[in-house]
PDB file of all heavy atoms in Angstrom:
ATOM      1  N   VAL Z 144     132.435  84.481  49.457  1.00  0.00           N
ATOM      2  CA  VAL Z 144     132.747  83.402  48.512  1.00  0.00           C
ATOM      3  C   VAL Z 144     131.933  82.135  48.785  1.00  0.00           C
ATOM      4  O   VAL Z 144     131.791  81.297  47.893  1.00  0.00           O
ATOM      5  CB  VAL Z 144     134.250  83.064  48.493  1.00  0.00           C
ATOM      6  CG1 VAL Z 144     135.045  84.217  47.915  1.00  0.00           C
ATOM      7  CG2 VAL Z 144     134.760  82.699  49.890  1.00  0.00           C
ATOM      8  N   THR Z 145     131.396  81.994  49.984  1.00  0.00           N
ATOM      9  CA  THR Z 145     130.492  80.886  50.271  1.00  0.00           C
ATOM     10  C   THR Z 145     129.779  81.148  51.589  1.00  0.00           C
ATOM     11  O   THR Z 145     130.058  82.137  52.273  1.00  0.00           O
ATOM     12  CB  THR Z 145     131.240  79.535  50.317  1.00  0.00           C
ATOM     13  OG1 THR Z 145     130.281  78.463  50.264  1.00  0.00           O
ATOM     14  CG2 THR Z 145     132.072  79.390  51.586  1.00  0.00           C
ATOM     15  N   TRP Z 146     128.853  80.268  51.939  1.00  0.00           N
ATOM     16  CA  TRP Z 146     128.058  80.421  53.165  1.00  0.00           C
ATOM     17  C   TRP Z 146     128.212  79.163  54.021  1.00  0.00           C
ATOM     18  O   TRP Z 146     128.581  78.095  53.532  1.00  0.00           O
ATOM     19  CB  TRP Z 146     126.583  80.628  52.822  1.00  0.00           C
ATOM     20  CG  TRP Z 146     125.932  79.388  52.241  1.00  0.00           C
ATOM     21  CD1 TRP Z 146     126.133  78.873  50.987  1.00  0.00           C
ATOM     22  CD2 TRP Z 146     125.030  78.489  52.901  1.00  0.00           C
ATOM     23  NE1 TRP Z 146     125.402  77.716  50.816  1.00  0.00           N
ATOM     24  CE2 TRP Z 146     124.718  77.463  51.972  1.00  0.00           C
ATOM     25  CE3 TRP Z 146     124.452  78.469  54.165  1.00  0.00           C
ATOM     26  CZ2 TRP Z 146     123.838  76.421  52.283  1.00  0.00           C
ATOM     27  CZ3 TRP Z 146     123.577  77.423  54.480  1.00  0.00           C
ATOM     28  CH2 TRP Z 146     123.283  76.419  53.538  1.00  0.00           C
ATOM     29  N   TYR Z 147     127.946  79.316  55.321  1.00  0.00           N
ATOM     30  CA  TYR Z 147     127.942  78.183  56.242  1.00  0.00           C
ATOM     31  C   TYR Z 147     126.609  78.147  56.985  1.00  0.00           C
ATOM     32  O   TYR Z 147     126.058  79.194  57.363  1.00  0.00           O
ATOM     33  CB  TYR Z 147     129.086  78.293  57.251  1.00  0.00           C
ATOM     34  CG  TYR Z 147     130.463  78.234  56.627  1.00  0.00           C
ATOM     35  CD1 TYR Z 147     131.451  79.139  56.999  1.00  0.00           C
ATOM     36  CD2 TYR Z 147     130.777  77.269  55.668  1.00  0.00           C
ATOM     37  CE1 TYR Z 147     132.726  79.082  56.427  1.00  0.00           C
ATOM     38  CE2 TYR Z 147     132.042  77.215  55.102  1.00  0.00           C
ATOM     39  CZ  TYR Z 147     133.009  78.120  55.477  1.00  0.00           C
ATOM     40  OH  TYR Z 147     134.256  78.074  54.913  1.00  0.00           O
ATOM     41  N   ASN Z 148     126.111  76.959  57.208  1.00  0.00           N
ATOM     42  CA  ASN Z 148     124.861  76.798  57.934  1.00  0.00           C
ATOM     43  C   ASN Z 148     125.081  77.109  59.413  1.00  0.00           C
ATOM     44  O   ASN Z 148     125.920  76.484  60.061  1.00  0.00           O
ATOM     45  CB  ASN Z 148     124.351  75.361  57.775  1.00  0.00           C
ATOM     46  CG  ASN Z 148     123.015  75.141  58.454  1.00  0.00           C
ATOM     47  OD1 ASN Z 148     122.289  76.083  58.732  1.00  0.00           O
ATOM     48  ND2 ASN Z 148     122.690  73.883  58.715  1.00  0.00           N
ATOM     49  N   ALA Z 149     124.360  78.084  59.925  1.00  0.00           N
ATOM     50  CA  ALA Z 149     124.442  78.405  61.359  1.00  0.00           C
ATOM     51  C   ALA Z 149     123.144  78.044  62.068  1.00  0.00           C
ATOM     52  O   ALA Z 149     122.859  78.526  63.162  1.00  0.00           O
ATOM     53  CB  ALA Z 149     124.765  79.886  61.555  1.00  0.00           C
ATOM     54  N   GLY Z 150     122.348  77.189  61.423  1.00  0.00           N
ATOM     55  CA  GLY Z 150     121.175  76.630  62.075  1.00  0.00           C
ATOM     56  C   GLY Z 150     120.033  77.605  62.279  1.00  0.00           C
ATOM     57  O   GLY Z 150     119.950  78.649  61.644  1.00  0.00           O
ATOM     58  N   THR Z 151     119.149  77.231  63.171  1.00  0.00           N
ATOM     59  CA  THR Z 151     117.975  78.031  63.510  1.00  0.00           C
ATOM     60  C   THR Z 151     118.213  78.725  64.839  1.00  0.00           C
ATOM     61  O   THR Z 151     118.666  78.105  65.803  1.00  0.00           O
ATOM     62  CB  THR Z 151     116.730  77.126  63.619  1.00  0.00           C
ATOM     63  OG1 THR Z 151     116.537  76.435  62.390  1.00  0.00           O
ATOM     64  CG2 THR Z 151     115.488  77.943  63.927  1.00  0.00           C
ATOM     65  N   ARG Z 152     117.899  79.999  64.890  1.00  0.00           N
ATOM     66  CA  ARG Z 152     118.084  80.769  66.123  1.00  0.00           C
ATOM     67  C   ARG Z 152     116.813  80.696  66.962  1.00  0.00           C
ATOM     68  O   ARG Z 152     115.696  80.853  66.452  1.00  0.00           O
ATOM     69  CB  ARG Z 152     118.437  82.224  65.808  1.00  0.00           C
ATOM     70  CG  ARG Z 152     119.783  82.358  65.092  1.00  0.00           C
ATOM     71  CD  ARG Z 152     120.143  83.802  64.833  1.00  0.00           C
ATOM     72  NE  ARG Z 152     120.660  84.460  66.030  1.00  0.00           N
ATOM     73  CZ  ARG Z 152     121.955  84.519  66.341  1.00  0.00           C
ATOM     74  NH1 ARG Z 152     122.861  83.946  65.564  1.00  0.00           N
ATOM     75  NH2 ARG Z 152     122.358  85.154  67.422  1.00  0.00           N
ATOM     76  N   ASN Z 153     117.008  80.443  68.248  1.00  0.00           N
ATOM     77  CA  ASN Z 153     115.911  80.312  69.196  1.00  0.00           C
ATOM     78  C   ASN Z 153     116.266  81.032  70.493  1.00  0.00           C
ATOM     79  O   ASN Z 153     117.433  81.321  70.752  1.00  0.00           O
ATOM     80  CB  ASN Z 153     115.675  78.830  69.508  1.00  0.00           C
ATOM     81  CG  ASN Z 153     115.368  78.016  68.269  1.00  0.00           C
ATOM     82  OD1 ASN Z 153     114.265  78.018  67.763  1.00  0.00           O
ATOM     83  ND2 ASN Z 153     116.374  77.291  67.762  1.00  0.00           N
ATOM     84  N   PHE Z 154     115.248  81.302  71.307  1.00  0.00           N
ATOM     85  CA  PHE Z 154     115.480  81.954  72.598  1.00  0.00           C
ATOM     86  C   PHE Z 154     115.901  80.934  73.652  1.00  0.00           C
ATOM     87  O   PHE Z 154     115.409  79.802  73.671  1.00  0.00           O
ATOM     88  CB  PHE Z 154     114.216  82.664  73.083  1.00  0.00           C
ATOM     89  CG  PHE Z 154     113.848  83.878  72.279  1.00  0.00           C
ATOM     90  CD1 PHE Z 154     112.674  83.912  71.540  1.00  0.00           C
ATOM     91  CD2 PHE Z 154     114.674  84.988  72.249  1.00  0.00           C
ATOM     92  CE1 PHE Z 154     112.340  85.026  70.791  1.00  0.00           C
ATOM     93  CE2 PHE Z 154     114.353  86.107  71.501  1.00  0.00           C
ATOM     94  CZ  PHE Z 154     113.173  86.129  70.774  1.00  0.00           C
ATOM     95  N   TYR Z 155     116.813  81.361  74.538  1.00  0.00           N
ATOM     96  CA  TYR Z 155     117.114  80.564  75.720  1.00  0.00           C
ATOM     97  C   TYR Z 155     117.309  81.525  76.887  1.00  0.00           C
ATOM     98  O   TYR Z 155     117.771  82.655  76.713  1.00  0.00           O
ATOM     99  CB  TYR Z 155     118.323  79.654  75.517  1.00  0.00           C
ATOM    100  CG  TYR Z 155     119.599  80.314  75.040  1.00  0.00           C
ATOM    101  CD1 TYR Z 155     120.584  80.728  75.934  1.00  0.00           C
ATOM    102  CD2 TYR Z 155     119.830  80.502  73.676  1.00  0.00           C
ATOM    103  CE1 TYR Z 155     121.776  81.303  75.496  1.00  0.00           C
ATOM    104  CE2 TYR Z 155     121.018  81.078  73.227  1.00  0.00           C
ATOM    105  CZ  TYR Z 155     121.982  81.476  74.144  1.00  0.00           C
ATOM    106  OH  TYR Z 155     123.147  82.058  73.704  1.00  0.00           O
ATOM    107  N   ALA Z 156     116.926  81.042  78.083  1.00  0.00           N
ATOM    108  CA  ALA Z 156     116.898  81.965  79.224  1.00  0.00           C
ATOM    109  C   ALA Z 156     117.005  81.210  80.546  1.00  0.00           C
ATOM    110  O   ALA Z 156     117.027  79.978  80.590  1.00  0.00           O
ATOM    111  CB  ALA Z 156     115.616  82.791  79.193  1.00  0.00           C
ATOM    112  N   LYS Z 157     117.026  81.999  81.625  1.00  0.00           N
ATOM    113  CA  LYS Z 157     117.124  81.426  82.969  1.00  0.00           C
ATOM    114  C   LYS Z 157     115.788  80.880  83.442  1.00  0.00           C
ATOM    115  O   LYS Z 157     115.730  80.076  84.380  1.00  0.00           O
ATOM    116  CB  LYS Z 157     117.638  82.493  83.945  1.00  0.00           C
ATOM    117  CG  LYS Z 157     119.027  83.001  83.590  1.00  0.00           C
ATOM    118  CD  LYS Z 157     119.396  84.236  84.385  1.00  0.00           C
ATOM    119  CE  LYS Z 157     120.019  83.876  85.713  1.00  0.00           C
ATOM    120  NZ  LYS Z 157     120.649  85.065  86.365  1.00  0.00           N
ATOM    121  N   THR Z 158     114.695  81.342  82.817  1.00  0.00           N
ATOM    122  CA  THR Z 158     113.354  80.863  83.143  1.00  0.00           C
ATOM    123  C   THR Z 158     112.673  80.397  81.847  1.00  0.00           C
ATOM    124  O   THR Z 158     113.052  80.825  80.755  1.00  0.00           O
ATOM    125  CB  THR Z 158     112.508  81.966  83.808  1.00  0.00           C
ATOM    126  OG1 THR Z 158     112.495  83.125  82.945  1.00  0.00           O
ATOM    127  CG2 THR Z 158     113.096  82.365  85.159  1.00  0.00           C
ATOM    128  N   PRO Z 159     111.658  79.526  81.944  1.00  0.00           N
ATOM    129  CA  PRO Z 159     111.053  78.959  80.730  1.00  0.00           C
ATOM    130  C   PRO Z 159     110.376  80.009  79.844  1.00  0.00           C
ATOM    131  O   PRO Z 159     109.798  80.985  80.331  1.00  0.00           O
ATOM    132  CB  PRO Z 159     110.009  77.977  81.283  1.00  0.00           C
ATOM    133  CG  PRO Z 159     110.411  77.717  82.686  1.00  0.00           C
ATOM    134  CD  PRO Z 159     111.078  78.968  83.176  1.00  0.00           C
ATOM    135  N   ILE Z 160     110.458  79.790  78.537  1.00  0.00           N
ATOM    136  CA  ILE Z 160     109.721  80.590  77.553  1.00  0.00           C
ATOM    137  C   ILE Z 160     108.855  79.613  76.766  1.00  0.00           C
ATOM    138  O   ILE Z 160     109.362  78.840  75.943  1.00  0.00           O
ATOM    139  CB  ILE Z 160     110.678  81.353  76.617  1.00  0.00           C
ATOM    140  CG1 ILE Z 160     111.548  82.329  77.412  1.00  0.00           C
ATOM    141  CG2 ILE Z 160     109.891  82.102  75.532  1.00  0.00           C
ATOM    142  CD1 ILE Z 160     112.676  82.950  76.610  1.00  0.00           C
ATOM    143  N   ARG Z 161     107.548  79.632  77.055  1.00  0.00           N
ATOM    144  CA  ARG Z 161     106.618  78.709  76.398  1.00  0.00           C
ATOM    145  C   ARG Z 161     105.658  79.432  75.462  1.00  0.00           C
ATOM    146  O   ARG Z 161     105.145  78.837  74.510  1.00  0.00           O
ATOM    147  CB  ARG Z 161     105.830  77.918  77.453  1.00  0.00           C
ATOM    148  CG  ARG Z 161     106.737  77.175  78.432  1.00  0.00           C
ATOM    149  CD  ARG Z 161     105.942  76.326  79.415  1.00  0.00           C
ATOM    150  NE  ARG Z 161     106.801  75.854  80.504  1.00  0.00           N
ATOM    151  CZ  ARG Z 161     107.616  74.794  80.422  1.00  0.00           C
ATOM    152  NH1 ARG Z 161     107.674  74.114  79.299  1.00  0.00           N
ATOM    153  NH2 ARG Z 161     108.360  74.432  81.449  1.00  0.00           N
ATOM    154  N   THR Z 162     105.430  80.718  75.726  1.00  0.00           N
ATOM    155  CA  THR Z 162     104.560  81.547  74.884  1.00  0.00           C
ATOM    156  C   THR Z 162     105.237  82.900  74.697  1.00  0.00           C
ATOM    157  O   THR Z 162     106.155  83.253  75.455  1.00  0.00           O
ATOM    158  CB  THR Z 162     103.190  81.767  75.547  1.00  0.00           C
ATOM    159  OG1 THR Z 162     103.363  82.615  76.713  1.00  0.00           O
ATOM    160  CG2 THR Z 162     102.543  80.449  75.966  1.00  0.00           C
ATOM    161  N   PRO Z 163     104.794  83.696  73.713  1.00  0.00           N
ATOM    162  CA  PRO Z 163     105.368  85.035  73.546  1.00  0.00           C
ATOM    163  C   PRO Z 163     105.249  85.887  74.803  1.00  0.00           C
ATOM    164  O   PRO Z 163     106.118  86.723  75.084  1.00  0.00           O
ATOM    165  CB  PRO Z 163     104.561  85.625  72.386  1.00  0.00           C
ATOM    166  CG  PRO Z 163     104.071  84.446  71.625  1.00  0.00           C
ATOM    167  CD  PRO Z 163     103.820  83.380  72.646  1.00  0.00           C
ATOM    168  N   GLU Z 164     104.191  85.659  75.580  1.00  0.00           N
ATOM    169  CA  GLU Z 164     103.978  86.449  76.800  1.00  0.00           C
ATOM    170  C   GLU Z 164     105.094  86.227  77.819  1.00  0.00           C
ATOM    171  O   GLU Z 164     105.384  87.102  78.646  1.00  0.00           O
ATOM    172  CB  GLU Z 164     102.622  86.088  77.429  1.00  0.00           C
ATOM    173  CG  GLU Z 164     101.417  86.645  76.694  1.00  0.00           C
ATOM    174  CD  GLU Z 164     101.214  86.053  75.305  1.00  0.00           C
ATOM    175  OE1 GLU Z 164     101.500  84.825  75.128  1.00  0.00           O
ATOM    176  OE2 GLU Z 164     100.814  86.796  74.392  1.00  0.00           O
ATOM    177  N   ASP Z 165     105.730  85.067  77.754  1.00  0.00           N
ATOM    178  CA  ASP Z 165     106.821  84.779  78.696  1.00  0.00           C
ATOM    179  C   ASP Z 165     108.058  85.625  78.426  1.00  0.00           C
ATOM    180  O   ASP Z 165     108.980  85.668  79.251  1.00  0.00           O
ATOM    181  CB  ASP Z 165     107.196  83.293  78.633  1.00  0.00           C
ATOM    182  CG  ASP Z 165     106.102  82.386  79.172  1.00  0.00           C
ATOM    183  OD1 ASP Z 165     105.368  82.830  80.075  1.00  0.00           O
ATOM    184  OD2 ASP Z 165     105.991  81.248  78.681  1.00  0.00           O
ATOM    185  N   LEU Z 166     108.093  86.283  77.273  1.00  0.00           N
ATOM    186  CA  LEU Z 166     109.228  87.155  76.952  1.00  0.00           C
ATOM    187  C   LEU Z 166     109.059  88.563  77.523  1.00  0.00           C
ATOM    188  O   LEU Z 166     110.029  89.319  77.599  1.00  0.00           O
ATOM    189  CB  LEU Z 166     109.394  87.252  75.425  1.00  0.00           C
ATOM    190  CG  LEU Z 166     110.058  86.055  74.745  1.00  0.00           C
ATOM    191  CD1 LEU Z 166     109.813  86.105  73.239  1.00  0.00           C
ATOM    192  CD2 LEU Z 166     111.556  86.023  75.040  1.00  0.00           C
ATOM    193  N   LYS Z 167     107.850  88.913  77.894  1.00  0.00           N
ATOM    194  CA  LYS Z 167     107.589  90.280  78.353  1.00  0.00           C
ATOM    195  C   LYS Z 167     108.459  90.643  79.546  1.00  0.00           C
ATOM    196  O   LYS Z 167     108.519  89.921  80.539  1.00  0.00           O
ATOM    197  CB  LYS Z 167     106.107  90.448  78.707  1.00  0.00           C
ATOM    198  CG  LYS Z 167     105.213  90.503  77.484  1.00  0.00           C
ATOM    199  CD  LYS Z 167     103.766  90.738  77.852  1.00  0.00           C
ATOM    200  CE  LYS Z 167     102.893  90.828  76.593  1.00  0.00           C
ATOM    201  NZ  LYS Z 167     101.461  90.943  76.924  1.00  0.00           N
ATOM    202  N   GLY Z 168     109.138  91.778  79.421  1.00  0.00           N
ATOM    203  CA  GLY Z 168     109.965  92.278  80.509  1.00  0.00           C
ATOM    204  C   GLY Z 168     111.350  91.672  80.588  1.00  0.00           C
ATOM    205  O   GLY Z 168     112.189  92.154  81.346  1.00  0.00           O
ATOM    206  N   LYS Z 169     111.606  90.612  79.815  1.00  0.00           N
ATOM    207  CA  LYS Z 169     112.930  89.983  79.859  1.00  0.00           C
ATOM    208  C   LYS Z 169     113.942  90.787  79.035  1.00  0.00           C
ATOM    209  O   LYS Z 169     113.603  91.312  77.971  1.00  0.00           O
ATOM    210  CB  LYS Z 169     112.867  88.554  79.309  1.00  0.00           C
ATOM    211  CG  LYS Z 169     112.311  87.526  80.274  1.00  0.00           C
ATOM    212  CD  LYS Z 169     112.422  86.131  79.679  1.00  0.00           C
ATOM    213  CE  LYS Z 169     112.183  85.043  80.719  1.00  0.00           C
ATOM    214  NZ  LYS Z 169     110.853  85.065  81.296  1.00  0.00           N
ATOM    215  N   LYS Z 170     115.157  90.869  79.531  1.00  0.00           N
ATOM    216  CA  LYS Z 170     116.252  91.472  78.771  1.00  0.00           C
ATOM    217  C   LYS Z 170     116.950  90.354  77.992  1.00  0.00           C
ATOM    218  O   LYS Z 170     117.493  89.416  78.593  1.00  0.00           O
ATOM    219  CB  LYS Z 170     117.256  92.161  79.698  1.00  0.00           C
ATOM    220  CG  LYS Z 170     116.714  93.419  80.364  1.00  0.00           C
ATOM    221  CD  LYS Z 170     117.784  94.065  81.223  1.00  0.00           C
ATOM    222  CE  LYS Z 170     117.256  95.323  81.912  1.00  0.00           C
ATOM    223  NZ  LYS Z 170     118.269  95.912  82.828  1.00  0.00           N
TER     224      LYS Z 170
END
Side-chain angles (χ1 to χ4, degrees):
V144 293
T145 194
W146 69 287
Y147 296 134
N148 183 20
T151 302
R152 296 182 78 92
N153 302 281
F154 290 115
Y155 54 95
K157 299 168 87 168
T158 55
I160 299 170
R161 304 184 192 279
T162 69
E164 286 66 36
D165 292 329
L166 282 164
K167 287 183 178 175
K169 281 186 167 63
K170 291 182 181 176

